[in-house]
Amino acid sequence: MVKKMKVKTILSLSTIALCMFLLSGCGNYAELNRLALVVAIGIDKPAVEKDTYRVTLQVVKPKASAAGTTGGGGDGVPFVNYTGEGRTLIEAMKSTSVKLSRKGFYSHTTMIVVDENTARDNILKVVDFMSRNTGIPLKTSVVIARNTTAEQILQSLTPLDTITGVSFFYQIKNAQDILGSYFNATVHDLMLYTRPGDDLAVNGIELTKNKEQAKKKDNTEKAEPAIPIMKGMGLFKKGKLVHWLDEKESRSLVIAFNQFKAAHITVPCGEHAYASLAINFSKVKKQVVMKQGIPHITARIKLKGFINEASCAYDLSKPEALKKIEHEVEVTIRDEFMDSVRESQAHESGVFAFGYALHTQHPQQWEKYKNEWYELEKKAKLQVVVDVSLEHAGIREEANMN
């Protein structure tokens, strides 16, 4: 009987607590109804030599309220962009925020777009500002607007996902999963790359076709609309953008970051014949040691996957045939990786984190050579070892399309 009374008491107290929670929620309804949902932020620096920033806030339009006011929905544009300027980012942000009739709410911000001027000046200023602003999630993605402004990117209207900032987020995810040439760089990720001997890499995004057409409402009704697309990856040196890698080159960077999880590679397997492979596992280990003042770098890359399309002129059911394709993939990845490393070294970007590897593996050597690392890395002896393992050849093993 005593146990039953205790159970009833606990249930009663839980019910009272739940009711109090629900009542307190209702009390806050009026405040929630006065929030402006910011889904994307654009940051532009109109002139590198001037201390002026231009901030764009992309805000979702509220639906029609119970009071009868009208807003987004229907066939209208479902968001509105507000812009403002200032000598600092916080000043520009505040000059933009005061134009809102509701309090800015940043918990669902998915994207931060910065222009090339801001990136070349120092993107770490943006990272520092975002990390100090507790309202902006650290998981928010960061991209660089190429050959255009962040404001123009956020003005574009996309046909599938009507909120531009949301569309960018899923476009990055698709590019990462399908191409393996991009990865989702967040504010938190960029905060980590203040490590010694390491530098930043950030995805680029560019408008296709006519920039003015992209922001017109009828753009979403065209069969081939003007839309933003992923465009290479920016390399940084001490927070400043110094160079762009193209899509093929940036694939090596994704591998180096151990972010190459699900992507496709196509290699030749005869005259006018190709094999496409799905890679579902990737791992890289870096070893760096100084010998007579010269960095000796070894990168060991292990890939696993399977063939999902082939027009090869030999029987893929035979082990030696798979070995040939594995060898082609190994050569392709090795050459791409070495070319990308040399490209980054030529522009003195430590984005492959070999300096950080030396810092962790041989800290005394790093302390000795850290002040001249960028120059020393250009002279580095680089060895790339690639090991590819194909688990199977797919459903149809015999692929002779001739």
Side-chain angles (χ1 to χ4, degrees), residues 36-42 56-63 70-83 100 110 113 150-168 207 213-217 219-220 226 228:
L37 185 61
V38 180
V39 291
I41 301 172
T56 302
L57 300 181
Q58 186 169 94
V59 179
V60 177
K61 286 183 181 178
K63 293 182 179 179
T70 60
D75 296 327
V77 178
F79 63 84
V80 59
N81 291 339
Y82 294 89
T83 60
L100 304 177
T110 60
V113 186
E151 183 178 3
Q152 285 178 316
I153 289 287
L154 292 181
Q155 285 175 344
S156 61
L157 301 178
T158 52
L160 296 181
D161 292 293
T162 53
I163 305 296
T164 313
V166 175
S167 178
F168 295 165
L207 280 172
Q213 175 60 40
K215 63 183 181 182
K216 293 181 179 179
K217 185 173 177 290
N219 184 57
T220 60

Side-chain angles (χ1 to χ4, degrees), residues 180-201:
S181 298
Y182 302 94
F183 62 90
N184 185 24
T186 65
V187 173
H188 180 262
D189 293 331
L190 300 189
M191 288 170 59
L192 296 178
Y193 286 97
T194 54
R195 306 178 303 185
D198 201 355
D199 277 313
L200 302 170

